Structures are given as C-alpha cells and as structure tokens.
Amino acid sequence: QKEVEQDPGPLSVPEGAIVSLNCTYSNSAFQYFMWYRQYSRKGPELLMYTYSSGNKEDGRFTAQVDKSSKYISLFIRDSQPSDSATYLCAMSAFPREYGNKLVFGAGTILRVKS
Amino acid sequence: DAGITQSPRHKVTETGTPVTLRCHQTENHRYMYWYRQDPGHGLRLIHYSYGVKDTDKGEVSDGYSVSRSKTEDFLLTLESATSSQTSVYFCAITTATYEQYFGPGTRLTVT
C-alpha cells in the first residue's frame, strides 16, 4: 500500500462546476500538507500549503485537512478551462528533522470543459 | 518560480555515457532536491542536500550521484546512463517556512 493514495482520474467537469480533489494517507506523523498544480510539460507549482488540521482558503481554492481521518481535499469553485492540469498532493512529517522530504500522491488529471 | 533554473532543459544521450544536470538557485536556500517524474510513479526523490557538501540519498538513488560545492548549485550526475533513466528531472528548494518550490524540469532521453 502506498503511503499517499490519490485517484489518478481523469476527472472531467463542465466549466463553473465545483471540483473536489482528494488524497488519503497512512502515516499519522504527516503534519504539513501541500497541493501542487502541474500543467503539461511544466514544473509543479505550489498552490496551497497547510499545517495540521483545518481549512485554508485562497480565492477559488480551499484546502481541507482532516487528520483524524487521514484525508485531505482541495476544492476549486467556479472551475475554469485554465484549471485543466494535473493536481498533486504532497505531505511531510517533521520537516526540520527530515529535510522536508515530501511524499507525493500520483496526481489527479483534471479537465474543465468549456 | 523561486529563482530556480535547470540546464539543459532537454537532452538526448546514448546508453553508457555520463550525464550531468545542473540546478541553480538565486535565493540562498539551504535545502535542494532532485526528483524524477515518470508515468505511474509520480514524483520520486533521488537525492537531496541540506548544505554545501552535505547530501543524502532519497528513494531512488541507485545510478545517480550528486554534488553541491556552492549554495546556489546542485548537480545531478548519471555516471553511465541507462534507458531506465529516461525521465523528466525536477530540481526543488525548500524555504525557511518549509514551502517547496520546483524548477522547470529537464527532459532526458537515453537511447
């Protein structure tokens, strides 16, 4: 079993829809949670960064962390064709002690149709 | 883009030849990383560095070596390239607040 599980999709939605992307994990030591967006043939771009449990909102994006369920989510409101990309979750435990080595999910391909 | 550049951006090489990829950062971050990204495997850590001359292995380090003689440069070397090392290679840095940023990538093909 992988340490971080992420449905690879592809997930196809109409423009304007609310998108929910999810990851589950098995290591209860994870404390820092990230979402990256990666366009084709580009490097991953840090989208959201949260520490421990709770919600964080940035424009159309909301990141949720539920440590009790070992489950994280990224919500995209009013999705746009420009949101079409691969979304990667990543997490780390004790970044200072372990050099902030991230464990990544496999990525979910999102397609927003106009 | 956190001031990260990678060179070359594309390279085609033959099996058995040595290859060096360069990562350069302009913001004096202590931690630097090399990842490879392959379909079905996602991003996997090859090596990382926590300071000049301080490096450690990641998940998939076999066949790779690294060096960091200056804070701003982190080199990844394939001593004798194999077809299984055909991949996209990303360099990354971590900031003081533990945010990790990636470079634009190097697409390597070993024929």
Side-chain angles (χ1 to χ4, degrees):
Chain A
Q1 185 187 3
K2 293 183 179 180
E3 231 176 338
V4 179
E5 298 279 0
Q6 185 176 10
D7 187 334
L11 179 61
S12 186
V13 302
E15 183 176 355
I18 296 174
V19 175
S20 172
L21 303 166
N22 312 294
C23 288
T24 59
Y25 62 94
S26 56
N27 187 349
S28 58
F30 287 142
Q31 300 182 60
Y32 294 83
F33 303 92
M34 283 132 278
W35 285 96
Y36 288 85
R37 177 175 63 195
Q38 187 175 22
Y39 292 115
S40 180
R41 305 181 82 86
K42 300 289 187 182
E45 171 194 5
L46 182 62
L47 207 54
M48 299 288 282
Y49 173 65
T50 53
Y51 170 70
S52 195
S53 286
N55 292 2
K56 184 175 182 179
E57 189 173 321
D58 185 2
R60 296 186 295 113
F61 299 90
T62 300
Q64 278 187 357
V65 176
D66 182 349
K67 290 188 71 180
S68 62
S69 301
K70 298 191 182 68
Y71 189 88
I72 69 171
S73 301
L74 177 70
F75 297 96
I76 307 174
R77 291 182 297 281
D78 188 24
S79 56
Q80 302 295 310
S82 59
D83 294 327
S84 298
T86 298
Y87 289 81
L88 302 155
C89 65
M91 43 201 82
S92 70
F94 310 114
R96 184 187 301 275
E97 288 83 3
Y98 297 111
N100 199 28
K101 289 185 284 186
L102 300 184
V103 180
F104 283 86
T108 299
I109 298 170
L110 172 65
R111 295 177 183 147
V112 181
K113 301 171 292 185
S114 59
Chain B
D1 63 358
I4 304 169
T5 57
Q6 293 184 230
S7 59
R9 295 292 313 280
H10 302 271
K11 186 168 183 68
V12 180
T13 192
E14 293 184 349
T15 298
T17 59
V19 176
T20 295
L21 309 182
R22 179 179 183 244
C23 176
H24 179 79
Q25 55 132 337
T26 59
E27 299 179 4
N28 287 323
H29 295 296
R30 179 183 173 193
Y31 288 95
M32 298 184 75
Y33 310 80
W34 277 107
Y35 291 88
R36 60 178 290 174
Q37 188 175 37
D38 306 286
H41 291 279
L43 280 159
R44 292 180 292 174
L45 182 65
I46 304 171
H47 282 278
Y48 70 103
S49 169
Y50 46 96
V52 172
K53 299 193 189 312
D54 291 323
T55 65
D56 205 349
K57 295 179 179 180
E59 178 187 358
V60 289
S61 58
D62 287 348
Y64 302 95
S65 62
V66 290
S67 65
R68 193 166 178 202
S69 58
K70 297 185 289 185
T71 298
E72 59 266 35
D73 289 325
F74 192 31
L75 304 181
L76 176 71
T77 297
L78 290 65
E79 303 290 348
S80 176
T82 67
S83 58
S84 65
Q85 292 176 313
T86 291
S87 186
V88 182
Y89 291 86
F90 289 102
C91 174
I93 60 93
T94 282
T95 68
T97 51
Y98 306 121
E99 295 165 335
Q100 195 162 120
Y101 294 94
F102 286 79
T106 294
R107 192 168 295 270
L108 176 68
T109 302
V110 183
T111 61

